[in-house]
Amino acid sequence: MKNARRALNAAMIAACTLLGPGALAKPVNAPQQKPTNMIFVLVDDLRYDAMGFLTPGLQTPNIDGLAKDGVYFPNAVVTSSLCSPSRATILTGQTARNHGVVDNNNSSEEGLTFFPKYLQQAGYQTGFFGKWHMGFDTDAPRDGFDKWVSFKGQGTYFPTEQLSPERIAAGDRQMLNVDGTPVKRTGYITDELTDYAMNWLEKGRDKSKPFFLYLSHKAVHSDPLPPDRYKTQYSKLDIKLPASMANTPENNAGKPMWVRNQRNSWHGADFPYHTNNPMTEQVRDYYRTLSPVDESLGRIMAYLKKNRLDKNTMVVFYSDNGFLIGEHGLIDKRNAYEPSVRVPMVVWAPGLLPKGVTNPAVVRNLDLAPTFLDIAHVAKPAQMEGKSFLPVAEGKIDEKTWNPGDFVYEYYWEWSFPQTPTTFAIERDRVKYIQYHGVWDLEELYDLKSDPDEMRNLIDDPQWLDTKITLRKALFDQLGNSKGAHVVPYTRKTSSGLVNRNIDGSRAADFPADWYVQPNLPTKMNDLFADSPAKAKADAEGKSYHP
């Protein structure tokens, strides 16, 4: 088996050299065996720890069962923590700087090839059910899918949500696009999407072919609205908010001004979504809205077992990005902090992967598309930047051998939600460096081994000077796009965006105290020059520095 896999990998590598961007991959001649079906369950905005086996009191028996019988990846991350860019990365195997879907505002899909297209070429039937959220707010069927059920933009939880009483009385409902035909919504979105997915599994597909099912939930995106059957769930659950949520000098020390300013904003813990709804109740609704997702997974798993598909089907449970519930005074995602970039990831494949394993490998959303192609014995196209995590998931190699390199993160400022600046970050050996573009603010450096909650900014610590210099350079080098250019893309602004602040909330943050200096100092020009030990020495001695 090892020799067969080695031969297969060699063939895949050879094929990759022949595939240019957008070219269709071709199946590699693989050992004759029953093809593996694949089900990808994508949840929206789900925190890395929002699973019952990690959070006491949270009831997710089907997700927990998937982990018990599969492989749990606690270090899964996304290269961009925002719906559309992350979803484009999942579908293309490319970073945002290369696929060009840089925010949630009408980024173009022109020229992109989505990995299900390659699966079709390999004989798979493919179905998409749910939130797409890319490309000019259209729900039209996309290339690569035999079955299509979607909706425009973020969608809604209920069929009559966001409709006036007059429209509801007239019979209007929120719509689905079913294979190009508009269809009125009839039920709660998680249940309705699952019904369509189950109908396709049971009746709509050609059962002589392997299948790939992409179930893309709206849940648990804000504002999370559970169905009636879960409205009172968790009413007595003790919600533990993060200690860093408190607006204290200790928590604010070393944090950029934008972080302290975001506290009193749409994406801040003090003015969440411009409401006064307590964070504890928002978290309860978040958890309540996850319960139908867990039910949905249970329906899928029961179908697989009943129809004896459990031995040749892989199920991947994942989220498009993480989510903060008050860490550093923030909610939402977008930033490079751990709760934003980390996502839940469980992979279940009894005929292929071990059972009940926690795998420490750092898997990125960038690595999903190459893995799905690997499962189908399809060569990775040249434009894909990730790598298949199948060998490390199988346990054939350890995480250090598989390691895809530095984890590089990019988020581009979005005018509609201007609280978070363009953010670039790099993590190497559990040390994370973060820089911001276009704002007058601090950089950040954290030793995640000793400081997993990112409370102590080491950016100006003399002992970390060499690390800062090294990671700065590595980040810039790796952020070049496929053409070698370093650019900051953006989309057209049409309004001010959500800029309001609570009138009774905190005011704008001050600059760091050590930025206030006397005039005419000998060191006044020093920071025009690159950081180095020699410059640090001149600063410490109050001397002028010229390299």
Side-chain angles (χ1 to χ4, degrees):
M1 186 65 184
K2 288 183 178 179
N3 289 336
R5 171 61 68 179
R6 192 176 296 116
L8 174 61
N9 287 343
M12 291 173 74
I13 292 170
C16 281
T17 62
L18 303 177
L19 291 168
L24 290 183
K26 296 182 179 180
V28 175
N29 291 327
Q32 293 298 315
Q33 60 187 41
K34 198 170 184 179
T36 301
N37 304 307
M38 290 172 269
I39 297 176
F40 181 52
V41 179
L42 184 66
V43 188
D44 197 309
D45 280 7
L46 191 63
R47 282 177 62 91
Y48 70 94
D49 58 359
M51 297 180 283
F53 68 93
L54 295 175
T55 299
L58 188 57
Q59 298 167 22
T60 57
N62 294 299
I63 299 171
D64 297 352
L66 203 71
K68 183 179 179 182
D69 293 331
V71 182
Y72 164 54
F73 289 89
N75 295 316
V77 292
V78 292
T79 54
S80 297
S81 185
L82 183 62
C83 296
S84 295
S86 181
R87 289 161 188 271
T89 291
I90 290 169
L91 283 158
T92 64
Q94 296 175 277
T95 53
R97 58 189 173 275
N98 284 316
H99 63 57
V101 180
V102 297
D103 61 21
N104 287 348
N105 295 318
N106 290 344
S107 295
S108 174
E109 300 170 23
E110 184 178 356
L112 301 181
T113 303
F114 307 125
F115 74 82
K117 183 69 175 178
Y118 303 128
L119 295 180
Q120 286 180 323
Q121 295 291 314
Y124 276 74
Q125 283 213 306
T126 61
F128 182 87
F129 304 85
K131 178 178 174 180
W132 183 262
H133 201 230
M134 290 160 40
F136 294 96
D137 197 29
T138 172
D139 55 12
R142 265 48 171 205
D143 197 29
F145 294 99
D146 299 304
K147 179 68 180 181
W148 180 265
V149 179
S150 191
F151 46 79
K152 290 185 178 182
Q154 292 283 4
T156 63
Y157 285 102
F158 295 95
T160 57
E161 193 180 336
Q162 298 180 8
L163 299 180
S164 67
E166 293 77 16
R167 290 186 61 188
I168 295 171
D172 288 352
R173 295 295 183 269
Q174 295 290 353
M175 305 296 288
L176 291 175
N177 185 314
V178 180
D179 296 323
T181 300
V183 176
K184 288 184 178 181
R185 291 267 315 277
T186 60
Y188 183 71
I189 188 62
T190 305
D191 302 338
E192 195 167 7
L193 292 175
T194 305
D195 289 344
Y196 274 102
M198 294 303 301
N199 184 69
W200 183 70
L201 283 176
E202 293 167 348
K203 304 174 184 177
R205 63 187 175 89
D206 181 347
K207 294 186 179 181
S208 68
K209 297 180 179 181
F211 65 84
F212 176 84
L213 188 156
Y214 194 134
L215 179 54
S216 180
H217 289 294
K218 171 180 172 57
V220 291
H221 194 279
S222 61
D223 292 338
L225 297 176
D228 287 345
R229 65 187 183 273
Y230 286 114
K231 275 192 174 180
T232 61
Q233 188 186 29
Y234 302 127
S235 294
K236 297 182 180 179
L237 180 64
D238 181 22
I239 303 296
K240 293 179 171 61
L241 298 176
S244 65
M245 179 173 164
N247 189 4
T248 65
E250 293 79 13
N251 285 346
N252 292 333
K255 283 292 177 281
M257 291 184 294
W258 77 261
V259 172
R260 290 178 282 154
N261 284 331
Q262 185 166 309
R263 168 182 291 280
N264 181 10
S265 79
W266 182 271
H267 288 150
D270 290 352
F271 199 24
Y273 310 121
H274 292 173
T275 73
N276 58 358
N277 192 25
M279 279 299 301
T280 50
E281 193 57 30
Q282 293 205 31
V283 173
R284 287 192 180 94
D285 278 342
Y286 181 85
Y287 289 161
R288 291 162 180 154
T289 306
L290 179 61
S291 290
V293 173
D294 189 75
E295 280 184 358
S296 168
L297 181 62
R299 291 176 63 185
I300 291 170
M301 301 305 292
Y303 171 83
L304 294 178
K305 292 170 184 176
K306 179 181 178 181
N307 291 274
R308 299 181 181 179
L309 294 169
D310 49 327
K311 298 301 180 184
N312 70 309
T313 300
M314 181 177 77
V315 178
V316 178
F317 181 84
Y318 200 79
S319 179
D320 61 348
N321 45 250
F323 200 79
L324 295 91
I325 56 171
E327 287 89 351
H328 316 299
L330 311 179
I331 63 169
D332 191 63
K333 57 266 187 181
R334 289 174 164 82
N335 56 71
Y337 294 131
E338 288 291 278
S340 176
V341 302
R342 292 178 63 192
V343 292
M345 179 177 178
V346 181
V347 185
W348 176 92
L352 184 64
L353 304 183
K355 176 180 178 179
V357 170
T358 297
N359 192 309
V362 177
V363 178
R364 309 160 296 179
N365 53 349
L366 200 61
D367 302 317
L368 291 167
T371 303
F372 291 133
L373 297 188
D374 193 6
I375 292 288
H377 306 300
V378 173
K380 186 182 80 169
Q383 79 272 15
M384 286 191 179
E385 301 166 67
K387 60 184 291 189
S388 171
F389 63 77
L390 182 59
V392 72
E394 291 174 315
K396 293 182 176 179
I397 58 176
D398 62 26
E399 73 278 6
K400 292 181 180 177
T401 303
W402 177 80
N403 192 337
D406 297 330
F407 167 48
V408 174
Y409 178 80
E410 59 186 317
Y411 166 79
Y412 298 99
W413 178 80
E414 188 176 41
W415 63 262
S416 47
F417 298 97
Q419 298 87 353
T420 308
T422 292
T423 302
F424 302 126
I426 184 170
E427 182 187 319
R428 175 183 294 178
D429 299 329
R430 297 300 288 154
V431 176
K432 181 190 294 183
Y433 165 73
I434 311 172
Q435 67 176 222
Y436 303 101
H437 178 85
V439 293
W440 186 10
D441 219 327
L442 286 172
E443 302 162 275
E444 296 175 88
L445 184 70
Y446 299 102
D447 179 7
L448 298 175
K449 295 186 291 294
S450 62
D451 182 22
D453 295 326
E454 299 164 300
M455 297 300 296
R456 185 180 172 221
N457 186 2
L458 302 170
I459 198 68
D460 290 324
D461 189 323
Q463 296 183 6
W464 290 85
L465 176 61
D466 290 343
T467 300
K468 173 173 67 175
I469 293 170
T470 299
L471 291 181
R472 266 190 192 146
K473 182 179 185 305
L475 177 60
F476 180 79
D477 290 344
Q478 295 183 53
L479 278 174
N481 63 21
S482 58
K483 299 177 181 178
H486 290 79
V487 295
V488 176
Y490 62 97
T491 53
R492 183 171 68 94
K493 181 169 183 165
T494 60
S495 75
S496 65
L498 295 176
V499 299
N500 292 343
R501 298 169 66 82
N502 188 334
I503 192 170
D504 296 319
S506 58
R507 276 5 196 196
D510 197 3
F511 286 99
D514 60 2
W515 285 17
Y516 289 94
V517 300
Q518 297 294 328
N520 303 320
L521 293 177
T523 57
K524 65 181 183 179
M525 299 292 289
N526 287 9
D527 280 329
L528 280 179
F529 306 110
D531 284 339
S532 68
K535 191 182 90 169
K537 183 174 183 294
D539 286 340
E541 295 174 352
K543 296 179 179 178
S544 177
Y545 170 78
H546 291 274

